[in-house]
Amino acid sequence: MNVSPKITPVGPSPLALAEMAHAIRFLSIDAILAAGEGHQGVPLGMAEIATTLYARHLKFDPADPTWPDRDRVVLSNGHGSMLLYSLLHLSGYRHISLDAVKRFRELGSPCAGHPEYDPPAGIETTTGPLGQGIANALGMAIAEAALNARFGDGLIDHCTWAFVGDGCLQEGLGQEVIQLAGHLRLNKLTFFWDDNAITDDGSTELSISENVAERFRVAGWHVQEIDGHDIAAIDAAIAAAKADSRPSMIACKTVIAHGVPRLEGQRGGHSGKLIAQDRADMAARFDWVGEIFDIPEAIATAWRETAAHGAKERAAWSQRLGLASDAARDEFARVHTRSLKDGWRETIHAFKERAAREGRAEFSIATSGEIAARLYDVLPEVVTACADLEAPTNHKRQLAAFTARDRAGRYLHCGVREHAMGSLANGIAAHGGVIPLAVTYLPFSDYERPAMRMAALMGLPTIFIFSHDSIGIGKNGPTHQPVEIIASLRAMPNMLVLRPCDAVEAAEAWEIALEHRTGPISLVFARQSLPQLRRDGCRENRSARGAYVLAEAEGGARRVTLLSTGSEVQIALAGRDILQGEGIPTAVVSMPCWSLFEAQDRAYRKAVLGEGCVRVAVEAAVKFGWERWIGEEGGFVGMSGFGASGPADELYRHFGITAEAVAAQARERL
Amino acid sequence: MNVSPKITPVGPSPLALAEMAHAIRFLSIDAILAAGEGHQGVPLGMAEIATTLYARHLKFDPADPTWPDRDRVVLSNGHGSMLLYSLLHLSGYRHISLDAVKRFRELGSPCAGHPEYDPPAGIETTTGPLGQGIANALGMAIAEAALNARFGDGLIDHCTWAFVGDGCLQEGLGQEVIQLAGHLRLNKLTFFWDDNAITDDGSTELSISENVAERFRVAGWHVQEIDGHDIAAIDAAIAAAKADSRPSMIACKTVIAHGVPRLEGQRGGHSGKLIAQDRADMAARFDWVGEIFDIPEAIATAWRETAAHGAKERAAWSQRLGLASDAARDEFARVHTRSLKDGWRETIHAFKERAAREGRAEFSIATSGEIAARLYDVLPEVVTACADLEAPTNHKRQLAAFTARDRAGRYLHCGVREHAMGSLANGIAAHGGVIPLAVTYLPFSDYERPAMRMAALMGLPTIFIFSHDSIGIGKNGPTHQPVEIIASLRAMPNMLVLRPCDAVEAAEAWEIALEHRTGPISLVFARQSLPQLRRDGCRENRSARGAYVLAEAEGGARRVTLLSTGSEVQIALAGRDILQGEGIPTAVVSMPCWSLFEAQDRAYRKAVLGEGCVRVAVEAAVKFGWERWIGEEGGFVGMSGFGASGPADELYRHFGITAEAVAAQARERL
C-alpha cells in the first residue's frame, strides 16, 4: 500500500510527557471526586499510553473534530470515560470545556458517565457495554480501508486506535473481533490492552488463564508486550504497530489506579470510591502542584500543542482535496454527508413499478437482494456484511468480497459472528463515508441485539436486514422461527422496524431505509415465496406512513378492520374475502411499520383504524404490543408460544393462523 | 480425582465400526431425501467419530435415557440433526423409532429439523443457534463436577461430549466457552471439532485464518489433531482425552458430506439438495446393500449391542446407589427431581415477615442477595454464576468459588461473559441435580438473550437475576439504563418476568422462582435503595397472581386505578395520595408479573383493574405493551426514549416520572 507524504510529529520530550500524563490523572480524579463516583482505574492506569499516543502519533485536529481523515480513537473500556474527557479537554476540543469536565456525570454535561457518541465533541462512539468499542473500531478500520481503496491515500489514510480492557477481551464479541480483524489484516488498527490484571471481581485469575498476547498472535495479530507506564517503550511500540502489515495489539502492563497508594494494583482501583486524601496522596507522590481542576500552565500549553501537527496534516489534506478532480471531490463530499446519488430513487421506483406490473408470486428475502443489487450499482458507498448466510439471504449479488487483499470488495464475509457484524456495521456508520448493511436471519438477531441497541442509542443509520421472519420458514423448527423477536425490536426506541408484505412494500422499505439518517432500521423479510399484493406502482411511498388501507371495505360503511404485516397480509385479505362474502364490509390495513404509523396525526390513524370498527390483527408472532392497535377487546390471530418443526403450510394450520380464524375472530365481535 | 471402578467397553472391531458408520450415513440421507431438505454435511462427515464414541466409549443406556450418571452428548452443530437421530435410533432409544426418523422434519416427529430438548428421547438439549450447544455442554460438565464433589465418584462420574462445527467456534459464545472451560480445567469435557473447512458460505478461508487447534491450546485445552475418518485414531484420541486432566478438543479432519461424490468436500455438502442418484452413488461407493431406510441386520445388531456396556454400568451404578446411605440416596433423589428441601419456604416466609415488620427503606438488588444467602444454606444444590459483577450484585455471599481446584465451590466467576453464563446455566439446568442462578445487570441481558430464549424454548427452569433495571441507576448513563428491555423480556413466550417493588415482593418472587419448573424466570431488581411498601407479612404470595390491589381506593367507589411495577410503585402511591387528597378515590395496583396476571381468571383481572375506571400506568420504561392493561386511551407515565447520565432523582424529574405527572394523567381522563 502506498503511503501518502506525512508530517512526522516529534512532540514533547519524555519528561514533559510524564507530566502531561499526570495532568490526565489529576483531572480525572478531580472530576470523579466532584461527581462522587466514577472509574479511576483506566485513566490512572492508561495515562502514559494515551499521552504518548496523542502527543507523538495521533492525527487529529480539535479545530475540526469531524475532519474525515482524522485518526479514530475508541475508548472501548468506556467506564474509564474520564481518560477520554481528559484527553479531549486537554488537547483542545471545545465541547469538552473545563466546566463540562467539572460537571462529569451530571445531567446535560457532554462528559456523561460513559462516553456518548458526539463527534463534534471528539467522541467517536458510545461505549460502556464491553466489547462494543473494539468492534466499532474494527468497523471504522474497515470503512477506512474501503474509502482508501476508493479515494486513495491522499484523501483517506488514517489509523484507528482503541483502548481495551480485560472485559472487552473476555466478551465473545471481543473474540469475534480478534478473529475477524486478524483475518482481514487491518493493518491500521491498533489496540492498547490495559493489562492491569484486575476486573470488577478482583484478580483476572478468577476468570481467565489464557495468555492473551498469544491468543492475539494465533489470530494473526502483531503483538508487542511492554510496560504501559514506560513512555519510550510506548512510543516505540506505536511506531512499530504503524509499520506492521497486520493489526497490532500492544499489551501494556499497567498498574490499575496508578498513583493512588490506597488503591493502586487493587480490586478497588477499578471504581472504589475515592476520598480527598487519595488526591493528596497522589499529589505528594508525583510532586503535583496543581490545585483541584487546575492544570499548571506549562503542562496545559504542552497539551494544547499536541494538536499542532494534526492541524498541519489537516491543512495538507485540504490542499490535496483541493487538487483532486471535481468528480472525486464531489463524490468524497457526497458520501461523507450521506447524500445519495441521483438515480437511487428512480431505481427503486422502477423496481416497484415493474413488481406491481408483473405481479410475480415470489416475494421473499431474495426480493430484497434484487433491490439491493440494483442499488449497489447506483451507490458505490454501500458495503454489505453478512454472517455466513450468503446464499440463503441473497444480498451478495454482484459484489466482490472485501478481503485482506482486496479492499475494493464490498461484501464482507463475517463468518458466523452476528454480534461483531452488527457492531462493526455501527463502526462503519459512525466512521461515515460508507453505508453499512448487516444481513442475517431474524432469529439470530438476538445475537447482535446489543449492537442494534447501540445503533438506536447513538442514532446511527445502520441498516439491518433479516430473513426467516416467522414460522413460515417451516421445517428448520422453532429455534429458527421468530415469534417474539419482532415485538422485541418494536419495543426498542429509535429503531424503525419494517415488515413488508410484498415486493412493492419491500421497495418502499428500502426507500425509507436509505432516507432515514437519525437511527437504525430493521427490514424484516420472509424466507418463503409470497404473492404480490400491491398492484399499484404509485410513486407515493405508502409504507412511509407506517400503515395504510390496502383494501377498503365494500358494500357499505366499514364494520371490520383487519390489521396485518408481512406474510400474513395475504391471510388478512383472504379473511376479508370471507367476511365480504357474508356481507360484512371489511377493510385490510397493511402496517409495515408501527412507529411510523404512531408518528402520524390522530386523524389519519383514526381513519386507517376505522372508528367504531371491530378490529382483528393477524401476524405470525406473539400478540405482545398489538393492543395498541386493536384495543383491549380486539381480535388477534397469531402465535401464543414458540413454533414447531414442520412444513410451513401445516404450521399455519396447526397454529390456527388462517383466513377462517380471522373471519371467526371478527364475527365473534360484531 | 478418584476414579470409580468401571467396566471398560471393548466393542466391535474397526471393520464393523466402519460399516456401522455407514449405517448413519444411509439412515441420514434416506431421511433427508424423504424430508426433501436437511443438512447432510455433519452426519456424513462425522459418522466415524460418532460411531467410535458410541460403540467404544460412551456411557449410556437407551433403556433408561435419563439415568443421572449417563454421559451427556450434545450436537452443537444442530443442523446436522440426522447424526443424532441416527445414533439414537440405531443404538435403541425407543422414542426415536424408524417411523419417527422417516418423518424427519415433519410436524409431531421427535426428529425435528434441529434437535429439540427431549431427555426421554435422548436429546439432551436444543441446538441450532450456533455456540449454544457447547456452552450447554460446559454447563453440564460444571454440573457434573459440582455433583461429583457432593456425591462422590460412585454416584456421579460421567463425561460430556460435544460435536462442534466451525460456526460454533466462530461465534463469540464459543470463544467464551473455550476460555472458561480451559480456565476451569473441566477434564471430563471433550469436543469433537468437525474440521471440514466448509461453512455455509463456502471455504472457511473466507472468514477465518487462525489455527483453531492453537487457539484451544492457548486456552489451556488438551488438543489432538486426527483424521476424522480413521477409526483407530478416533478411538485412541478419545482414550487420551479421557485420561488428560484438561478439557479436550479433538480436531477431526473430515470431508464434508463424505460418501456423496457430487457434494463431498464441497460447499454444497453442507445442505445442498440431495437427489436419489446421490444415494445410489454412495451405495456404490460403500458397497451398501441396504434398501432405503433398511439397515442390514448384522449392522443393526452391532448397533444395538453398543448399549450393552452402558447397561452394565447402569446396573453397577444402581448397586452403588443401593449401598449408599439413606441420607445420600434421598438427597441424590431430591436434587435430581428438583424437589426442594423442607425449610426453604419457611426461610422465605421468615425473611418476608421480618422485612414487613422492620420496614427498612433499603430494598434493592442487595435484598435479593440477602434472600439468596438464606436459601444457599437450605439448598446446597444452588450454584450461582455471575458475569464479573460480584460486588454490585451481592449474590456471592457465603459461597466459595467453583474453581479448577475446588469443585465444591458454588459461585462461578464467569468473567465478563454474559452469553456463556446464560447458556452454561441452561446446561446446568438441563443436566439436573443443580439449580443455576445467572446474575448480571439488566442492560447486559441483551448479551445473554439468545440463551434466555433457549431456556424459554426448552422449558428449562434457569433463574436469571438482574440488577440495574432502569434510569434509577443514574450517572452511569443510558448504556446502563434499560428502557426497552423489560418489554422485550415480557414479549418472550414462557419467560416469567418479575419486577418486585419491595423486599416482601422480592421474597415472593424468589418463592415463585424456586417453585417454577416449566421454564425460566427473570427477577429484575433496582440498584438504588427503595422504601418498604408492603407491611403485611402475610403467608399468601400475593405476587403469584401477577398483580393485586396494593392500596384500595378510599372514600367512595374507585374512579382511578394506578398500575405500576418495581421502583415506580412508590410513585404510584404518591400519585394516589395526591388524587385521594383531591377527593378522587384511587387504587394502586402492583403488577410484578404480567404473564401471571394474564393467567388469572377474567373476574379477578377485572376486579384488580377496576371496571369503568381511569387507568394510568407508571413504569420507568417504554410504554410498549402497557396498552394491554391500560387500554388504548389509558394514561402512561414512563420513558419514550433512552435515558441519560445524571443523578437518579434528577432523571426522574427530567423524564417526568413523578407523582404529579401520574395525578395529572389521571385527572385529564376523568
Side-chain angles (χ1 to χ4, degrees):
Chain A
M1 201 167 288
N2 293 324
V3 176
S4 61
K6 280 197 189 148
I7 295 118
T8 304
V10 179
S13 69
L15 201 64
L17 286 177
E19 291 290 302
M20 289 165 71
H22 292 329
I24 293 175
R25 291 199 167 90
F26 284 93
L27 200 54
S28 296
I29 72 165
D30 287 347
I32 292 167
L33 278 164
E37 62 180 53
H39 299 75
Q40 61 275 2
V42 173
L44 270 56
M46 301 191 85
E48 280 79 17
I49 300 162
T51 302
T52 309
L53 174 67
Y54 272 65
R56 290 279 181 85
H57 299 276
L58 191 71
K59 185 165 81 167
F60 73 110
D61 184 0
D64 187 0
T66 59
W67 167 35
D69 198 31
R70 70 193 181 278
D71 281 0
R72 302 302 195 273
V73 174
V74 172
L75 184 79
S76 195
N77 41 5
H79 49 276
S81 55
M82 269 313 305
L83 174 63
L84 183 60
Y85 304 143
S86 296
L87 290 164
L88 294 172
H89 171 67
L90 291 167
S91 65
Y93 285 79
R94 280 184 306 109
H95 289 228
I96 309 299
S97 63
L98 187 59
D99 180 62
V101 172
K102 285 181 176 173
R103 300 191 61 255
F104 173 51
R105 292 182 159 244
E106 294 300 324
L107 194 53
S109 171
C111 300
H114 290 76
E116 305 289 337
Y117 179 58
D118 187 355
I123 303 171
E124 302 284 4
T125 186
T126 298
T127 50
L130 295 175
Q132 298 295 336
I134 51 175
N136 293 164
L138 168 60
M140 291 171 186
I142 290 169
E144 192 276 341
L147 288 165
N148 177 270
R150 282 197 73 197
F151 293 101
D153 288 345
L155 296 190
I156 286 285
D157 182 16
H158 71 77
C159 296
T160 301
W161 312 90
F163 299 96
V164 186
D166 291 294
C168 291
L169 305 180
Q170 293 185 4
E171 289 288 4
L173 173 59
Q175 294 288 315
E176 294 180 4
V177 168
I178 294 169
Q179 283 194 342
L180 204 44
H183 173 68
L184 294 172
R185 290 183 80 91
L186 290 159
N187 58 309
K188 297 180 196 168
L189 177 65
T190 299
F191 289 177
F192 299 100
W193 172 38
D194 187 18
D195 179 15
N196 58 26
I198 296 286
T199 68
D200 204 83
D201 275 9
S203 167
T204 50
E205 288 178 9
L206 287 169
S207 56
I208 190 163
S209 306
E210 80 179 13
N211 181 319
V212 172
E214 279 308 309
R215 196 277 165 270
F216 274 86
R217 286 194 186 98
V218 167
W221 287 59
H222 170 241
V223 178
Q224 304 172 79
E225 296 175 76
I226 64 167
D227 174 348
H229 300 293
D230 177 341
I231 285 166
I234 298 163
D235 194 25
I238 294 174
K242 289 169 86 168
D244 200 88
S245 64
R246 296 162 290 178
S248 269
M249 194 279 269
I250 306 177
C252 306
K253 201 82 194 148
T254 61
V255 175
I256 196 166
H258 180 60
V260 172
R262 186 175 64 89
L263 298 172
E264 63 186 354
Q266 305 293 315
R267 179 181 182 186
H270 177 72
S271 59
K273 198 169 168 65
L274 290 177
I275 52 175
Q277 187 61 41
D278 292 325
R279 203 232 187 239
D281 291 346
M282 190 164 82
R285 163 89 68 93
F286 296 132
D287 290 326
W288 187 254
V289 296
E291 296 297 313
I292 288 169
F293 284 120
D294 175 52
I295 305 300
E297 190 48 39
I299 296 171
T301 303
W303 261 110
R304 280 192 299 273
E305 284 170 359
T306 59
H309 67 78
K312 281 183 205 153
E313 292 228 45
R314 183 169 66 88
W317 176 87
S318 295
Q319 212 163 23
R320 293 195 298 275
L321 184 67
L323 294 172
S325 71
D326 287 353
R329 200 166 46 241
D330 289 352
E331 180 67 0
F332 189 84
R334 183 184 74 75
V335 299
H336 279 91
T337 51
R338 206 175 185 281
S339 304
L340 300 173
K341 206 179 225 167
D342 289 346
W344 76 275
R345 199 186 302 275
E346 290 68 21
T347 301
I348 287 177
H349 284 173
F351 179 89
K352 186 174 166 183
E353 280 159 32
R354 210 190 69 183
R357 193 173 61 245
E358 295 184 349
R360 291 183 294 165
E362 51 192 41
F363 168 61
S364 74
I365 180 66
T367 312
S368 175
E370 283 179 48
I371 298 169
R374 286 162 173 75
L375 292 167
Y376 288 158
D377 287 335
V378 186
L379 300 173
E381 67 268 36
V382 172
V383 165
T384 296
C386 183
D388 195 47
L389 292 169
E390 180 202 315
T393 57
N394 187 37
H395 278 70
K396 185 171 184 194
R397 313 290 303 203
Q398 70 270 39
L399 301 185
F402 176 98
T403 68
R405 282 174 303 277
D406 182 10
R407 305 305 201 193
R410 292 162 57 197
Y411 189 85
L412 189 57
H413 289 279
C414 290
V416 190
R417 304 183 186 98
E418 297 85 3
H419 201 167
M421 175 184 70
S423 300
L424 74 82
N426 290 345
I428 290 172
H431 183 281
V434 178
I435 295 178
L437 311 183
V439 186
T440 186
Y441 292 172
L442 187 61
F444 307 153
S445 70
D446 275 352
Y447 277 67
E448 62 172 330
R449 186 173 168 90
M452 299 177 78
R453 182 176 204 256
M454 295 302 277
L457 178 56
M458 286 193 252
L460 293 176
T462 310
I463 299 174
F464 296 97
I465 295 179
F466 298 108
S467 175
H468 288 55
D469 71 347
S470 79
I471 55 167
I473 66 109
K475 296 183 176 183
N476 272 320
T479 55
H480 286 50
Q481 294 166 348
V483 294
E484 79 290 15
I485 295 178
I486 293 173
S488 75
L489 293 181
R490 286 174 178 149
M492 191 179 282
N494 203 32
M495 169 65 76
L496 285 190
V497 182
L498 274 93
R499 186 170 187 244
C501 72
D502 70 3
V504 166
E505 279 195 4
E508 292 178 344
W510 267 95
E511 190 176 8
I512 294 165
L514 286 171
E515 286 198 306
H516 186 63
R517 306 195 189 168
T518 56
I521 189 166
S522 293
L523 305 186
V524 173
F525 297 95
R527 170 211 197 190
Q528 69 272 28
S529 284
L530 296 165
Q532 184 58 33
L533 305 178
R534 285 263 300 275
R535 305 304 300 268
D536 64 292
C538 69
R539 295 181 76 84
E540 180 199 348
N541 189 323
R542 302 179 77 187
S543 301
R545 302 194 79 167
Y548 60 93
V549 178
L550 176 64
E552 191 45 280
E554 291 172 7
R558 193 202 297 183
R559 293 182 64 201
V560 174
T561 304
L562 304 178
L563 307 161
S564 191
T565 76
S567 47
E568 284 70 61
V569 175
Q570 58 167 325
I571 296 173
L573 287 168
R576 175 179 175 275
D577 287 347
I578 295 174
L579 292 165
Q580 285 283 160
E582 295 169 4
I584 304 166
T586 301
V588 168
V589 170
S590 180
M591 318 191 62
C593 182
W594 288 16
S595 53
L596 288 174
F597 185 53
E598 182 78 59
Q600 303 304 307
D601 61 51
R602 196 176 173 91
Y604 178 77
R605 291 204 312 264
K606 278 199 165 178
V608 169
L609 295 175
E611 269 191 283
C613 290
V614 161
R615 283 171 277 162
V616 177
V618 51
E619 185 169 62
V622 297
K623 188 181 182 184
F624 196 87
W626 268 105
E627 287 89 356
R628 171 75 187 90
W629 309 115
I630 58 173
E632 273 176 290
E633 303 300 333
F636 179 73
V637 173
M639 301 292 291
S640 59
F642 292 104
S645 176
D649 53 348
E650 278 185 45
L651 292 178
Y652 271 86
R653 282 197 301 277
H654 176 74
F655 290 110
I657 305 175
T658 63
E660 292 71 27
V662 170
Q665 289 268 327
R667 259 186 242 113
E668 275 175 31
R669 287 170 175 76
L670 281 167
Chain B
M1 201 167 287
N2 294 326
V3 175
S4 60
K6 281 196 189 151
I7 294 119
T8 304
V10 179
S13 70
L15 201 64
L17 286 177
E19 290 291 301
M20 289 165 71
H22 292 330
I24 293 175
R25 290 199 169 89
F26 284 93
L27 200 54
S28 295
I29 73 166
D30 287 348
I32 292 168
L33 278 165
E37 61 179 54
H39 299 75
Q40 61 275 1
V42 173
L44 270 56
M46 301 190 86
E48 282 78 18
I49 300 163
T51 302
T52 310
L53 174 66
Y54 272 65
R56 290 279 181 85
H57 298 277
L58 191 70
K59 185 166 81 169
F60 74 112
D61 184 0
D64 187 1
T66 59
W67 167 34
D69 198 31
R70 70 193 181 277
D71 281 359
R72 301 303 195 274
V73 174
V74 172
L75 184 79
S76 194
N77 42 4
H79 49 276
S81 54
M82 269 313 304
L83 175 63
L84 183 60
Y85 304 143
S86 297
L87 290 163
L88 294 173
H89 171 66
L90 292 167
S91 65
Y93 284 80
R94 281 185 305 110
H95 290 229
I96 309 299
S97 64
L98 188 59
D99 180 62
V101 172
K102 285 180 177 174
R103 299 190 62 254
F104 174 51
R105 291 183 158 243
E106 294 301 323
L107 193 53
S109 171
C111 301
H114 289 77
E116 305 290 337
Y117 178 58
D118 187 355
I123 303 171
E124 302 284 4
T125 186
T126 298
T127 51
L130 295 175
Q132 298 296 336
I134 50 174
N136 294 164
L138 168 60
M140 291 171 185
I142 289 169
E144 192 276 342
L147 288 165
N148 177 271
R150 281 198 73 197
F151 293 102
D153 288 345
L155 296 190
I156 286 285
D157 181 17
H158 70 78
C159 295
T160 301
W161 313 90
F163 299 95
V164 186
D166 291 293
C168 291
L169 305 180
Q170 293 185 5
E171 289 288 4
L173 173 58
Q175 294 288 315
E176 293 180 5
V177 168
I178 295 170
Q179 284 194 342
L180 204 44
H183 173 68
L184 294 172
R185 291 183 80 91
L186 290 159
N187 58 309
K188 297 181 197 170
L189 178 65
T190 300
F191 288 177
F192 298 100
W193 172 38
D194 187 18
D195 179 16
N196 59 25
I198 296 285
T199 68
D200 204 83
D201 275 8
S203 167
T204 50
E205 287 178 10
L206 287 169
S207 57
I208 191 164
S209 306
E210 81 180 12
N211 182 319
V212 172
E214 279 308 309
R215 196 276 165 269
F216 275 85
R217 285 194 186 98
V218 168
W221 286 59
H222 170 240
V223 178
Q224 302 172 81
E225 295 173 79
I226 63 168
D227 175 349
H229 300 293
D230 178 341
I231 285 166
I234 298 163
D235 193 25
I238 295 175
K242 289 169 86 168
D244 201 89
S245 63
R246 296 162 290 178
S248 268
M249 195 278 269
I250 306 177
C252 306
K253 201 78 193 151
T254 61
V255 176
I256 196 167
H258 181 60
V260 173
R262 185 175 64 89
L263 297 173
E264 62 185 355
Q266 305 293 315
R267 179 180 181 186
H270 177 74
S271 59
K273 197 168 170 65
L274 290 177
I275 53 176
Q277 188 60 42
D278 293 325
R279 197 216 191 254
D281 291 345
M282 191 164 80
R285 163 90 66 93
F286 296 131
D287 291 326
W288 188 255
V289 295
E291 296 297 312
I292 288 168
F293 285 120
D294 175 51
I295 305 299
E297 190 47 40
I299 296 171
T301 302
W303 261 112
R304 279 192 299 274
E305 284 171 359
T306 60
H309 65 80
K312 282 183 203 153
E313 292 229 46
R314 183 168 66 88
W317 176 87
S318 295
Q319 212 165 24
R320 293 196 297 275
L321 184 66
L323 294 171
S325 71
D326 287 354
R329 200 166 46 241
D330 290 351
E331 180 68 359
F332 190 84
R334 184 184 72 75
V335 299
H336 278 90
T337 51
R338 207 175 185 281
S339 304
L340 300 174
K341 205 180 225 167
D342 290 346
W344 76 274
R345 199 186 302 276
E346 290 69 21
T347 300
I348 287 178
H349 284 173
F351 179 89
K352 186 174 166 182
E353 280 159 31
R354 210 191 68 182
R357 193 172 63 245
E358 295 184 350
R360 291 183 293 165
E362 52 192 40
F363 168 61
S364 75
I365 180 66
T367 311
S368 175
E370 282 179 49
I371 298 168
R374 285 161 173 75
L375 292 167
Y376 288 157
D377 286 337
V378 186
L379 300 172
E381 67 268 36
V382 172
V383 165
T384 296
C386 182
D388 196 47
L389 292 169
E390 179 201 316
T393 57
N394 188 38
H395 278 71
K396 185 171 184 193
R397 313 290 302 204
Q398 70 269 39
L399 302 185
F402 176 97
T403 67
R405 282 174 303 278
D406 181 11
R407 305 305 201 194
R410 292 163 56 196
Y411 189 86
L412 188 59
H413 289 278
C414 290
V416 191
R417 304 184 187 97
E418 297 84 3
H419 201 167
M421 175 183 71
S423 300
L424 74 82
N426 289 345
I428 290 173
H431 182 282
V434 178
I435 295 178
L437 312 183
V439 186
T440 186
Y441 291 172
L442 186 60
F444 305 153
S445 70
D446 276 352
Y447 278 68
E448 62 172 331
R449 186 173 168 90
M452 299 177 77
R453 182 175 203 257
M454 296 302 278
L457 177 56
M458 286 193 252
L460 293 176
T462 310
I463 300 174
F464 296 97
I465 294 179
F466 299 108
S467 174
H468 288 53
D469 72 347
S470 79
I471 56 166
I473 66 108
K475 296 183 175 182
N476 272 320
T479 54
H480 287 50
Q481 294 166 348
V483 294
E484 79 290 15
I485 295 178
I486 294 173
S488 76
L489 294 181
R490 285 174 178 151
M492 190 179 283
N494 203 31
M495 169 64 75
L496 285 190
V497 182
L498 275 92
R499 186 172 187 242
C501 73
D502 71 1
V504 166
E505 279 195 2
E508 293 178 343
W510 268 96
E511 190 176 8
I512 294 165
L514 287 170
E515 286 198 305
H516 186 63
R517 306 196 190 166
T518 56
I521 189 166
S522 293
L523 306 186
V524 173
F525 296 96
R527 169 210 197 191
Q528 69 273 27
S529 284
L530 296 165
Q532 184 58 33
L533 305 178
R534 284 263 301 275
R535 304 306 300 269
D536 64 291
C538 69
R539 295 182 74 85
E540 180 200 349
N541 188 323
R542 302 179 77 188
S543 301
R545 303 194 79 167
Y548 61 94
V549 178
L550 176 63
E552 191 45 280
E554 291 172 7
R558 193 203 296 184
R559 293 182 64 202
V560 174
T561 304
L562 304 179
L563 307 160
S564 191
T565 76
S567 47
E568 285 70 61
V569 175
Q570 58 167 325
I571 295 174
L573 287 168
R576 175 179 177 273
D577 287 347
I578 295 173
L579 292 165
Q580 284 283 160
E582 295 169 4
I584 304 166
T586 301
V588 168
V589 169
S590 181
M591 311 191 69
C593 182
W594 289 15
S595 53
L596 288 175
F597 185 54
E598 183 78 60
Q600 303 303 308
D601 60 51
R602 196 175 173 89
Y604 179 78
R605 291 204 312 265
K606 277 199 166 179
V608 169
L609 296 175
E611 269 191 283
C613 289
V614 161
R615 281 171 280 162
V616 177
V618 50
E619 185 170 63
V622 297
K623 188 180 181 183
F624 196 87
W626 268 105
E627 287 88 357
R628 171 75 187 90
W629 310 116
I630 58 174
E632 274 177 287
E633 303 301 330
F636 179 72
V637 174
M639 300 292 290
S640 59
F642 291 104
S645 176
D649 52 349
E650 277 185 45
L651 292 178
Y652 271 86
R653 283 197 300 278
H654 177 73
F655 290 111
I657 304 174
T658 62
E660 292 70 27
V662 170
Q665 290 268 328
R667 260 186 240 112
E668 275 174 31
R669 287 169 174 77
L670 281 168

